[in-house]
Amino acid sequence: FEQERREANFRFSLVRIRENAESIAFYNGEKNEERLLLERFLSSLDNLADLLIASRNLDFFTSYYRYLISVLPAAVVAPLYFRGEIEFGVINQSS
């Protein structure tokens, strides 16, 4: 939601500049408007980078968790197999 709000602020600024271009040029406000646009664009870009990092971290966690739940049962039961307390088929059943 925050990303959408920041992008909307940037788009609104673009539209406002387009509608008021004559007044901005008359009062020599180009530098100020450029600064505001750049500030809003960079704000949106920074937030997007934060979202991508959070998404990447979540993907790493879910991938690790999926791998762990497939390997962990076999790792827990393997010592019992090597001691001869269970048969090999039990390792497959534990997964």
Side-chain angles (χ1 to χ4, degrees):
F1 177 75
E2 181 66 24
Q3 182 65 20
E4 292 173 353
R5 186 182 65 80
R6 291 181 188 203
E7 289 174 2
N9 286 341
F10 178 67
R11 287 191 305 272
F12 174 77
S13 296
L14 290 174
V15 170
R16 190 178 61 79
I17 287 174
R18 184 174 185 196
E19 291 175 351
N20 300 311
E22 192 173 318
S23 298
I24 292 169
F26 182 75
Y27 290 110
N28 293 324
E30 296 92 353
K31 292 292 182 188
N32 188 39
E33 293 299 327
E34 180 183 8
R35 181 185 57 78
L36 287 173
L37 273 179
L38 188 59
E39 182 181 299
R40 289 185 175 156
F41 178 72
L42 291 177
S43 171
S44 177
L45 200 59
D46 289 342
N47 192 57
L48 179 62
D50 292 343
L51 287 174
L52 290 174
I53 289 170
S55 177
R56 181 203 60 192
N57 291 344
L58 181 62
D59 286 343
F60 283 158
F61 174 76
T62 55
S63 296
Y64 174 74
Y65 184 76
R66 286 184 188 149
Y67 175 74
L68 184 66
I69 63 174
S70 67
V71 173
L72 187 62
V76 170
V77 177
L80 298 174
Y81 171 73
F82 290 122
R83 283 189 292 214
E85 296 176 14
I86 59 172
E87 296 179 6
F88 184 72
V90 176
I91 294 176
N92 291 334
Q93 290 175 354
S94 68
S95 296

